[in-house]
PDB file of all heavy atoms in Angstrom:
ATOM      1  N   ALA A   1     -95.668 191.709  86.524  1.00 95.00           N
ATOM      2  CA  ALA A   1     -96.367 191.384  85.303  1.00 95.00           C
ATOM      3  C   ALA A   1     -97.467 190.394  85.521  1.00 95.00           C
ATOM      4  O   ALA A   1     -98.454 190.424  84.809  1.00 95.00           O
ATOM      5  CB  ALA A   1     -95.289 190.801  84.316  1.00 95.00           C
ATOM      6  N   ALA A   2     -97.261 189.522  86.527  1.00 93.00           N
ATOM      7  CA  ALA A   2     -98.337 188.518  86.845  1.00 93.00           C
ATOM      8  C   ALA A   2     -99.402 189.032  87.795  1.00 93.00           C
ATOM      9  O   ALA A   2    -100.348 188.349  88.168  1.00 93.00           O
ATOM     10  CB  ALA A   2     -97.678 187.302  87.443  1.00 93.00           C
ATOM     11  N   GLY A   3     -99.245 190.299  88.254  1.00 92.00           N
ATOM     12  CA  GLY A   3    -100.206 190.891  89.150  1.00 92.00           C
ATOM     13  C   GLY A   3    -100.131 190.329  90.558  1.00 92.00           C
ATOM     14  O   GLY A   3    -101.115 190.278  91.281  1.00 92.00           O
ATOM     15  N   LEU A   4     -98.950 189.898  91.009  1.00 92.00           N
ATOM     16  CA  LEU A   4     -98.827 189.221  92.311  1.00 92.00           C
ATOM     17  C   LEU A   4     -97.985 189.993  93.289  1.00 92.00           C
ATOM     18  O   LEU A   4     -97.700 189.448  94.391  1.00 92.00           O
ATOM     19  CB  LEU A   4     -98.178 187.841  92.091  1.00 92.00           C
ATOM     20  CG  LEU A   4     -98.997 186.884  91.230  1.00 92.00           C
ATOM     21  CD1 LEU A   4     -98.197 185.615  90.963  1.00 92.00           C
ATOM     22  CD2 LEU A   4    -100.329 186.554  91.849  1.00 92.00           C
ATOM     23  N   LEU A   5     -97.653 191.215  93.050  1.00 93.00           N
ATOM     24  CA  LEU A   5     -96.762 191.978  94.002  1.00 93.00           C
ATOM     25  C   LEU A   5     -97.368 192.058  95.374  1.00 93.00           C
ATOM     26  O   LEU A   5     -96.665 192.052  96.329  1.00 93.00           O
ATOM     27  CB  LEU A   5     -96.509 193.370  93.463  1.00 93.00           C
ATOM     28  CG  LEU A   5     -95.377 193.494  92.431  1.00 93.00           C
ATOM     29  CD1 LEU A   5     -95.163 194.955  92.059  1.00 93.00           C
ATOM     30  CD2 LEU A   5     -94.080 192.875  92.925  1.00 93.00           C
ATOM     31  N   ASP A   6     -98.711 192.143  95.474  1.00 93.00           N
ATOM     32  CA  ASP A   6     -99.344 192.307  96.764  1.00 93.00           C
ATOM     33  C   ASP A   6     -99.285 191.029  97.586  1.00 93.00           C
ATOM     34  O   ASP A   6     -99.580 191.024  98.777  1.00 93.00           O
ATOM     35  CB  ASP A   6    -100.765 192.737  96.613  1.00 93.00           C
ATOM     36  CG  ASP A   6    -101.681 191.795  95.842  1.00 93.00           C
ATOM     37  OD1 ASP A   6    -101.115 191.051  95.010  1.00 93.00           O
ATOM     38  OD2 ASP A   6    -102.848 191.778  96.091  1.00 93.00           O
ATOM     39  N   GLN A   7     -98.833 189.928  96.989  1.00 93.00           N
ATOM     40  CA  GLN A   7     -98.746 188.644  97.736  1.00 93.00           C
ATOM     41  C   GLN A   7     -97.324 188.292  98.059  1.00 93.00           C
ATOM     42  O   GLN A   7     -97.017 187.203  98.516  1.00 93.00           O
ATOM     43  CB  GLN A   7     -99.353 187.561  96.816  1.00 93.00           C
ATOM     44  CG  GLN A   7    -100.810 187.724  96.554  1.00 93.00           C
ATOM     45  CD  GLN A   7    -101.343 186.682  95.583  1.00 93.00           C
ATOM     46  OE1 GLN A   7    -100.927 185.559  95.605  1.00 93.00           O
ATOM     47  NE2 GLN A   7    -102.258 187.136  94.725  1.00 93.00           N
ATOM     48  N   LEU A   8     -96.387 189.225  97.832  1.00 96.00           N
ATOM     49  CA  LEU A   8     -94.979 188.920  97.995  1.00 96.00           C
ATOM     50  C   LEU A   8     -94.226 190.014  98.818  1.00 96.00           C
ATOM     51  O   LEU A   8     -94.528 191.203  98.694  1.00 96.00           O
ATOM     52  CB  LEU A   8     -94.273 188.797  96.667  1.00 96.00           C
ATOM     53  CG  LEU A   8     -94.772 187.655  95.772  1.00 96.00           C
ATOM     54  CD1 LEU A   8     -94.294 187.839  94.376  1.00 96.00           C
ATOM     55  CD2 LEU A   8     -94.342 186.320  96.348  1.00 96.00           C
ATOM     56  N   ILE A   9     -93.254 189.533  99.596  1.00 97.00           N
ATOM     57  CA  ILE A   9     -92.239 190.387 100.159  1.00 97.00           C
ATOM     58  C   ILE A   9     -90.915 189.805  99.644  1.00 97.00           C
ATOM     59  O   ILE A   9     -90.666 188.629  99.820  1.00 97.00           O
ATOM     60  CB  ILE A   9     -92.235 190.356 101.703  1.00 97.00           C
ATOM     61  CG1 ILE A   9     -93.540 190.917 102.226  1.00 97.00           C
ATOM     62  CG2 ILE A   9     -91.090 191.074 102.248  1.00 97.00           C
ATOM     63  CD1 ILE A   9     -93.785 190.677 103.709  1.00 97.00           C
ATOM     64  N   VAL A  10     -90.147 190.656  98.965  1.00 98.00           N
ATOM     65  CA  VAL A  10     -88.956 190.177  98.322  1.00 98.00           C
ATOM     66  C   VAL A  10     -87.783 191.044  98.689  1.00 98.00           C
ATOM     67  O   VAL A  10     -87.901 192.251  98.706  1.00 98.00           O
ATOM     68  CB  VAL A  10     -89.109 190.186  96.762  1.00 98.00           C
ATOM     69  CG1 VAL A  10     -87.873 189.661  96.063  1.00 98.00           C
ATOM     70  CG2 VAL A  10     -90.323 189.359  96.382  1.00 98.00           C
ATOM     71  N   ASP A  11     -86.628 190.414  99.001  1.00 98.00           N
ATOM     72  CA  ASP A  11     -85.384 191.157  99.346  1.00 98.00           C
ATOM     73  C   ASP A  11     -84.201 190.353  98.870  1.00 98.00           C
ATOM     74  O   ASP A  11     -84.351 189.179  98.473  1.00 98.00           O
ATOM     75  CB  ASP A  11     -85.400 191.409 100.842  1.00 98.00           C
ATOM     76  CG  ASP A  11     -84.462 192.532 101.271  1.00 98.00           C
ATOM     77  OD1 ASP A  11     -83.789 193.155 100.424  1.00 98.00           O
ATOM     78  OD2 ASP A  11     -84.374 192.764 102.484  1.00 98.00           O
ATOM     79  N   SER A  12     -83.049 190.908  99.068  1.00 98.00           N
ATOM     80  CA  SER A  12     -81.823 190.197  98.782  1.00 98.00           C
ATOM     81  C   SER A  12     -80.767 190.589  99.798  1.00 98.00           C
ATOM     82  O   SER A  12     -80.841 191.686 100.409  1.00 98.00           O
ATOM     83  CB  SER A  12     -81.311 190.470  97.330  1.00 98.00           C
ATOM     84  OG  SER A  12     -81.042 191.829  97.155  1.00 98.00           O
ATOM     85  N   ALA A  13     -79.783 189.710  99.967  1.00 98.00           N
ATOM     86  CA  ALA A  13     -78.737 189.986 100.964  1.00 98.00           C
ATOM     87  C   ALA A  13     -77.493 189.171 100.581  1.00 98.00           C
ATOM     88  O   ALA A  13     -77.540 188.245  99.754  1.00 98.00           O
ATOM     89  CB  ALA A  13     -79.240 189.624 102.354  1.00 98.00           C
ATOM     90  N   GLY A  14     -76.415 189.470 101.275  1.00 98.00           N
ATOM     91  CA  GLY A  14     -75.164 188.743 101.030  1.00 98.00           C
ATOM     92  C   GLY A  14     -74.743 188.040 102.314  1.00 98.00           C
ATOM     93  O   GLY A  14     -75.065 188.454 103.409  1.00 98.00           O
ATOM     94  N   THR A  15     -73.951 187.002 102.121  1.00 98.00           N
ATOM     95  CA  THR A  15     -73.395 186.341 103.277  1.00 98.00           C
ATOM     96  C   THR A  15     -72.148 187.002 103.844  1.00 98.00           C
ATOM     97  O   THR A  15     -71.776 186.795 104.993  1.00 98.00           O
ATOM     98  CB  THR A  15     -72.984 184.849 102.908  1.00 98.00           C
ATOM     99  OG1 THR A  15     -72.043 184.877 101.786  1.00 98.00           O
ATOM    100  CG2 THR A  15     -74.205 183.992 102.578  1.00 98.00           C
ATOM    101  N   HIS A  16     -71.547 187.887 103.032  1.00 96.00           N
ATOM    102  CA  HIS A  16     -70.381 188.635 103.492  1.00 96.00           C
ATOM    103  C   HIS A  16     -70.724 190.147 103.559  1.00 96.00           C
ATOM    104  O   HIS A  16     -71.704 190.588 102.960  1.00 96.00           O
ATOM    105  CB  HIS A  16     -69.248 188.462 102.435  1.00 96.00           C
ATOM    106  CG  HIS A  16     -68.677 187.085 102.436  1.00 96.00           C
ATOM    107  ND1 HIS A  16     -69.380 186.041 101.971  1.00 96.00           N
ATOM    108  CD2 HIS A  16     -67.496 186.607 102.803  1.00 96.00           C
ATOM    109  CE1 HIS A  16     -68.683 184.921 102.085  1.00 96.00           C
ATOM    110  NE2 HIS A  16     -67.497 185.263 102.584  1.00 96.00           N
ATOM    111  N   LEU A  17     -69.941 190.910 104.289  1.00 91.00           N
ATOM    112  CA  LEU A  17     -70.283 192.320 104.506  1.00 91.00           C
ATOM    113  C   LEU A  17     -69.432 193.246 103.635  1.00 91.00           C
ATOM    114  O   LEU A  17     -69.452 194.451 103.785  1.00 91.00           O
ATOM    115  CB  LEU A  17     -70.182 192.660 105.994  1.00 91.00           C
ATOM    116  CG  LEU A  17     -68.912 192.359 106.702  1.00 91.00           C
ATOM    117  CD1 LEU A  17     -67.791 193.422 106.461  1.00 91.00           C
ATOM    118  CD2 LEU A  17     -69.215 192.321 108.182  1.00 91.00           C
ATOM    119  N   HIS A  18     -68.654 192.756 102.689  1.00 90.00           N
ATOM    120  CA  HIS A  18     -67.729 193.564 101.907  1.00 90.00           C
ATOM    121  C   HIS A  18     -68.379 194.744 101.192  1.00 90.00           C
ATOM    122  O   HIS A  18     -67.757 195.772 101.052  1.00 90.00           O
ATOM    123  CB  HIS A  18     -67.089 192.685 100.811  1.00 90.00           C
ATOM    124  CG  HIS A  18     -66.436 191.470 101.277  1.00 90.00           C
ATOM    125  ND1 HIS A  18     -65.551 191.426 102.332  1.00 90.00           N
ATOM    126  CD2 HIS A  18     -66.568 190.177 100.850  1.00 90.00           C
ATOM    127  CE1 HIS A  18     -65.146 190.137 102.520  1.00 90.00           C
ATOM    128  NE2 HIS A  18     -65.754 189.393 101.639  1.00 90.00           N
ATOM    129  N   HIS A  19     -69.629 194.627 100.786  1.00 94.00           N
ATOM    130  CA  HIS A  19     -70.240 195.673  99.936  1.00 94.00           C
ATOM    131  C   HIS A  19     -71.476 196.320 100.574  1.00 94.00           C
ATOM    132  O   HIS A  19     -72.255 196.972  99.858  1.00 94.00           O
ATOM    133  CB  HIS A  19     -70.614 195.078  98.604  1.00 94.00           C
ATOM    134  CG  HIS A  19     -69.479 194.537  97.811  1.00 94.00           C
ATOM    135  ND1 HIS A  19     -68.509 195.343  97.187  1.00 94.00           N
ATOM    136  CD2 HIS A  19     -69.021 193.270  97.596  1.00 94.00           C
ATOM    137  CE1 HIS A  19     -67.629 194.564  96.610  1.00 94.00           C
ATOM    138  NE2 HIS A  19     -67.927 193.327  96.831  1.00 94.00           N
ATOM    139  N   VAL A  20     -71.670 196.162 101.860  1.00 96.00           N
ATOM    140  CA  VAL A  20     -72.852 196.700 102.548  1.00 96.00           C
ATOM    141  C   VAL A  20     -73.004 198.155 102.219  1.00 96.00           C
ATOM    142  O   VAL A  20     -72.052 198.980 102.323  1.00 96.00           O
ATOM    143  CB  VAL A  20     -72.776 196.450 104.071  1.00 96.00           C
ATOM    144  CG1 VAL A  20     -73.825 197.237 104.815  1.00 96.00           C
ATOM    145  CG2 VAL A  20     -72.887 194.982 104.391  1.00 96.00           C
ATOM    146  N   GLY A  21     -74.204 198.544 101.867  1.00 97.00           N
ATOM    147  CA  GLY A  21     -74.536 199.922 101.521  1.00 97.00           C
ATOM    148  C   GLY A  21     -74.276 200.362 100.101  1.00 97.00           C
ATOM    149  O   GLY A  21     -74.722 201.406  99.630  1.00 97.00           O
ATOM    150  N   GLU A  22     -73.644 199.477  99.321  1.00 97.00           N
ATOM    151  CA  GLU A  22     -73.297 199.775  97.895  1.00 97.00           C
ATOM    152  C   GLU A  22     -74.468 199.354  96.969  1.00 97.00           C
ATOM    153  O   GLU A  22     -75.247 198.487  97.252  1.00 97.00           O
ATOM    154  CB  GLU A  22     -72.070 198.986  97.462  1.00 97.00           C
ATOM    155  CG  GLU A  22     -70.797 199.413  98.109  1.00 97.00           C
ATOM    156  CD  GLU A  22     -69.597 198.618  97.641  1.00 97.00           C
ATOM    157  OE1 GLU A  22     -69.627 198.037  96.492  1.00 97.00           O
ATOM    158  OE2 GLU A  22     -68.581 198.567  98.428  1.00 97.00           O
ATOM    159  N   ALA A  23     -74.531 200.137  95.854  1.00 98.00           N
ATOM    160  CA  ALA A  23     -75.497 199.781  94.826  1.00 98.00           C
ATOM    161  C   ALA A  23     -74.969 198.516  94.095  1.00 98.00           C
ATOM    162  O   ALA A  23     -73.782 198.138  94.223  1.00 98.00           O
ATOM    163  CB  ALA A  23     -75.591 200.910  93.811  1.00 98.00           C
ATOM    164  N   PRO A  24     -75.844 197.805  93.348  1.00 98.00           N
ATOM    165  CA  PRO A  24     -75.385 196.660  92.603  1.00 98.00           C
ATOM    166  C   PRO A  24     -74.239 197.047  91.620  1.00 98.00           C
ATOM    167  O   PRO A  24     -74.159 198.158  91.205  1.00 98.00           O
ATOM    168  CB  PRO A  24     -76.581 196.242  91.815  1.00 98.00           C
ATOM    169  CG  PRO A  24     -77.787 196.642  92.726  1.00 98.00           C
ATOM    170  CD  PRO A  24     -77.306 197.967  93.290  1.00 98.00           C
ATOM    171  N   ASP A  25     -73.427 196.069  91.311  1.00 97.00           N
ATOM    172  CA  ASP A  25     -72.348 196.244  90.390  1.00 97.00           C
ATOM    173  C   ASP A  25     -72.822 196.900  89.129  1.00 97.00           C
ATOM    174  O   ASP A  25     -73.901 196.557  88.617  1.00 97.00           O
ATOM    175  CB  ASP A  25     -71.771 194.831  90.072  1.00 97.00           C
ATOM    176  CG  ASP A  25     -70.529 194.864  89.175  1.00 97.00           C
ATOM    177  OD1 ASP A  25     -70.688 195.235  87.961  1.00 97.00           O
ATOM    178  OD2 ASP A  25     -69.421 194.563  89.685  1.00 97.00           O
ATOM    179  N   PRO A  26     -72.070 197.909  88.591  1.00 96.00           N
ATOM    180  CA  PRO A  26     -72.559 198.583  87.388  1.00 96.00           C
ATOM    181  C   PRO A  26     -72.799 197.683  86.219  1.00 96.00           C
ATOM    182  O   PRO A  26     -73.748 197.898  85.443  1.00 96.00           O
ATOM    183  CB  PRO A  26     -71.383 199.531  87.073  1.00 96.00           C
ATOM    184  CG  PRO A  26     -70.728 199.768  88.401  1.00 96.00           C
ATOM    185  CD  PRO A  26     -70.894 198.484  89.145  1.00 96.00           C
ATOM    186  N   ARG A  27     -72.020 196.609  86.067  1.00 96.00           N
ATOM    187  CA  ARG A  27     -72.283 195.648  85.009  1.00 96.00           C
ATOM    188  C   ARG A  27     -73.606 194.901  85.206  1.00 96.00           C
ATOM    189  O   ARG A  27     -74.349 194.698  84.215  1.00 96.00           O
ATOM    190  CB  ARG A  27     -71.082 194.645  84.921  1.00 96.00           C
ATOM    191  CG  ARG A  27     -69.764 195.326  84.609  1.00 96.00           C
ATOM    192  CD  ARG A  27     -68.598 194.422  84.824  1.00 96.00           C
ATOM    193  NE  ARG A  27     -68.507 194.078  86.249  1.00 96.00           N
ATOM    194  CZ  ARG A  27     -67.683 193.188  86.801  1.00 96.00           C
ATOM    195  NH1 ARG A  27     -66.831 192.526  85.986  1.00 96.00           N
ATOM    196  NH2 ARG A  27     -67.662 192.980  88.084  1.00 96.00           N
ATOM    197  N   ALA A  28     -73.911 194.513  86.442  1.00 97.00           N
ATOM    198  CA  ALA A  28     -75.152 193.874  86.716  1.00 97.00           C
ATOM    199  C   ALA A  28     -76.341 194.829  86.341  1.00 97.00           C
ATOM    200  O   ALA A  28     -77.356 194.411  85.771  1.00 97.00           O
ATOM    201  CB  ALA A  28     -75.304 193.437  88.160  1.00 97.00           C
ATOM    202  N   GLN A  29     -76.165 196.093  86.707  1.00 97.00           N
ATOM    203  CA  GLN A  29     -77.228 197.060  86.400  1.00 97.00           C
ATOM    204  C   GLN A  29     -77.375 197.264  84.921  1.00 97.00           C
ATOM    205  O   GLN A  29     -78.519 197.310  84.421  1.00 97.00           O
ATOM    206  CB  GLN A  29     -76.887 198.427  87.062  1.00 97.00           C
ATOM    207  CG  GLN A  29     -76.987 198.407  88.573  1.00 97.00           C
ATOM    208  CD  GLN A  29     -76.851 199.796  89.165  1.00 97.00           C
ATOM    209  OE1 GLN A  29     -77.690 200.667  88.808  1.00 97.00           O
ATOM    210  NE2 GLN A  29     -75.891 199.982  90.045  1.00 97.00           N
ATOM    211  N   THR A  30     -76.252 197.384  84.211  1.00 97.00           N
ATOM    212  CA  THR A  30     -76.260 197.577  82.760  1.00 97.00           C
ATOM    213  C   THR A  30     -76.993 196.441  82.044  1.00 97.00           C
ATOM    214  O   THR A  30     -77.898 196.652  81.214  1.00 97.00           O
ATOM    215  CB  THR A  30     -74.869 197.776  82.177  1.00 97.00           C
ATOM    216  OG1 THR A  30     -74.306 198.945  82.782  1.00 97.00           O
ATOM    217  CG2 THR A  30     -74.854 197.893  80.675  1.00 97.00           C
ATOM    218  N   TYR A  31     -76.615 195.215  82.369  1.00 97.00           N
ATOM    219  CA  TYR A  31     -77.208 194.037  81.670  1.00 97.00           C
ATOM    220  C   TYR A  31     -78.643 193.826  82.068  1.00 97.00           C
ATOM    221  O   TYR A  31     -79.480 193.448  81.219  1.00 97.00           O
ATOM    222  CB  TYR A  31     -76.314 192.785  81.872  1.00 97.00           C
ATOM    223  CG  TYR A  31     -75.130 192.831  80.989  1.00 97.00           C
ATOM    224  CD1 TYR A  31     -73.972 193.445  81.330  1.00 97.00           C
ATOM    225  CD2 TYR A  31     -75.195 192.324  79.684  1.00 97.00           C
ATOM    226  CE1 TYR A  31     -72.850 193.533  80.487  1.00 97.00           C
ATOM    227  CE2 TYR A  31     -74.119 192.388  78.838  1.00 97.00           C
ATOM    228  CZ  TYR A  31     -72.933 192.983  79.272  1.00 97.00           C
ATOM    229  OH  TYR A  31     -71.872 193.061  78.383  1.00 97.00           O
ATOM    230  N   ALA A  32     -78.987 194.117  83.293  1.00 97.00           N
ATOM    231  CA  ALA A  32     -80.407 193.983  83.721  1.00 97.00           C
ATOM    232  C   ALA A  32     -81.229 195.056  83.022  1.00 97.00           C
ATOM    233  O   ALA A  32     -82.356 194.759  82.562  1.00 97.00           O
ATOM    234  CB  ALA A  32     -80.534 194.145  85.258  1.00 97.00           C
ATOM    235  N   LEU A  33     -80.683 196.251  82.920  1.00 98.00           N
ATOM    236  CA  LEU A  33     -81.475 197.353  82.293  1.00 98.00           C
ATOM    237  C   LEU A  33     -81.709 197.046  80.807  1.00 98.00           C
ATOM    238  O   LEU A  33     -82.780 197.410  80.285  1.00 98.00           O
ATOM    239  CB  LEU A  33     -80.688 198.710  82.467  1.00 98.00           C
ATOM    240  CG  LEU A  33     -81.537 199.956  82.386  1.00 98.00           C
ATOM    241  CD1 LEU A  33     -82.709 199.892  83.307  1.00 98.00           C
ATOM    242  CD2 LEU A  33     -80.632 201.151  82.749  1.00 98.00           C
ATOM    243  N   LYS A  34     -80.778 196.372  80.144  1.00 97.00           N
ATOM    244  CA  LYS A  34     -80.992 195.940  78.755  1.00 97.00           C
ATOM    245  C   LYS A  34     -82.241 195.050  78.657  1.00 97.00           C
ATOM    246  O   LYS A  34     -82.826 194.942  77.566  1.00 97.00           O
ATOM    247  CB  LYS A  34     -79.763 195.182  78.229  1.00 97.00           C
ATOM    248  CG  LYS A  34     -78.609 196.089  77.959  1.00 97.00           C
ATOM    249  CD  LYS A  34     -77.404 195.223  77.463  1.00 97.00           C
ATOM    250  CE  LYS A  34     -76.186 196.136  77.221  1.00 97.00           C
ATOM    251  NZ  LYS A  34     -75.040 195.335  76.750  1.00 97.00           N
ATOM    252  N   ARG A  35     -82.621 194.461  79.742  1.00 97.00           N
ATOM    253  CA  ARG A  35     -83.812 193.539  79.772  1.00 97.00           C
ATOM    254  C   ARG A  35     -84.971 194.223  80.457  1.00 97.00           C
ATOM    255  O   ARG A  35     -85.973 193.577  80.809  1.00 97.00           O
ATOM    256  CB  ARG A  35     -83.508 192.212  80.419  1.00 97.00           C
ATOM    257  CG  ARG A  35     -82.421 191.457  79.672  1.00 97.00           C
ATOM    258  CD  ARG A  35     -82.166 190.065  80.204  1.00 97.00           C
ATOM    259  NE  ARG A  35     -81.024 189.460  79.658  1.00 97.00           N
ATOM    260  CZ  ARG A  35     -80.826 188.154  79.636  1.00 97.00           C
ATOM    261  NH1 ARG A  35     -81.686 187.338  80.212  1.00 97.00           N
ATOM    262  NH2 ARG A  35     -79.715 187.662  79.114  1.00 97.00           N
ATOM    263  N   GLY A  36     -84.843 195.528  80.693  1.00 97.00           N
ATOM    264  CA  GLY A  36     -85.917 196.278  81.267  1.00 97.00           C
ATOM    265  C   GLY A  36     -86.050 196.213  82.769  1.00 97.00           C
ATOM    266  O   GLY A  36     -87.101 196.546  83.358  1.00 97.00           O
ATOM    267  N   ILE A  37     -84.977 195.798  83.455  1.00 98.00           N
ATOM    268  CA  ILE A  37     -85.010 195.669  84.914  1.00 98.00           C
ATOM    269  C   ILE A  37     -84.052 196.664  85.524  1.00 98.00           C
ATOM    270  O   ILE A  37     -82.841 196.630  85.272  1.00 98.00           O
ATOM    271  CB  ILE A  37     -84.673 194.276  85.338  1.00 98.00           C
ATOM    272  CG1 ILE A  37     -85.738 193.365  84.719  1.00 98.00           C
ATOM    273  CG2 ILE A  37     -84.569 194.102  86.812  1.00 98.00           C
ATOM    274  CD1 ILE A  37     -85.488 191.925  84.708  1.00 98.00           C
ATOM    275  N   ASP A  38     -84.579 197.543  86.393  1.00 97.00           N
ATOM    276  CA  ASP A  38     -83.811 198.611  87.018  1.00 97.00           C
ATOM    277  C   ASP A  38     -83.384 198.142  88.449  1.00 97.00           C
ATOM    278  O   ASP A  38     -84.225 197.924  89.266  1.00 97.00           O
ATOM    279  CB  ASP A  38     -84.636 199.889  87.094  1.00 97.00           C
ATOM    280  CG  ASP A  38     -83.867 201.067  87.671  1.00 97.00           C
ATOM    281  OD1 ASP A  38     -82.634 200.888  88.044  1.00 97.00           O
ATOM    282  OD2 ASP A  38     -84.468 202.145  87.832  1.00 97.00           O
ATOM    283  N   LEU A  39     -82.069 198.016  88.659  1.00 98.00           N
ATOM    284  CA  LEU A  39     -81.595 197.600  89.967  1.00 98.00           C
ATOM    285  C   LEU A  39     -80.997 198.735  90.778  1.00 98.00           C
ATOM    286  O   LEU A  39     -80.530 198.596  91.880  1.00 98.00           O
ATOM    287  CB  LEU A  39     -80.452 196.562  89.812  1.00 98.00           C
ATOM    288  CG  LEU A  39     -80.730 195.325  88.922  1.00 98.00           C
ATOM    289  CD1 LEU A  39     -79.492 194.455  88.861  1.00 98.00           C
ATOM    290  CD2 LEU A  39     -81.922 194.545  89.489  1.00 98.00           C
ATOM    291  N   SER A  40     -81.039 199.978  90.196  1.00 97.00           N
ATOM    292  CA  SER A  40     -80.322 201.091  90.729  1.00 97.00           C
ATOM    293  C   SER A  40     -80.689 201.544  92.170  1.00 97.00           C
ATOM    294  O   SER A  40     -79.881 202.128  92.852  1.00 97.00           O
ATOM    295  CB  SER A  40     -80.442 202.303  89.804  1.00 97.00           C
ATOM    296  OG  SER A  40     -81.796 202.777  89.742  1.00 97.00           O
ATOM    297  N   MET A  41     -81.925 201.221  92.594  1.00 97.00           N
ATOM    298  CA  MET A  41     -82.305 201.660  93.916  1.00 97.00           C
ATOM    299  C   MET A  41     -81.935 200.680  95.081  1.00 97.00           C
ATOM    300  O   MET A  41     -82.079 200.992  96.225  1.00 97.00           O
ATOM    301  CB  MET A  41     -83.836 201.908  93.972  1.00 97.00           C
ATOM    302  CG  MET A  41     -84.323 202.994  93.003  1.00 97.00           C
ATOM    303  SD  MET A  41     -83.439 204.547  93.188  1.00 97.00           S
ATOM    304  CE  MET A  41     -84.004 205.067  94.769  1.00 97.00           C
TER     305      MET A  41
END
C-alpha cells in the first residue's frame, strides 16, 4: 500500500520444526482474510 515492496525482502520462520511445510493455522488465515490479508500461500 505504501509502494515499498521493491525495497523489502520479507519472510517468516519458526524456532521449532513441528509444523514445517504446513500452511498457516486455518484460524489465522480466516481472521487475516477478514482484514483483506491472504496467508494461504
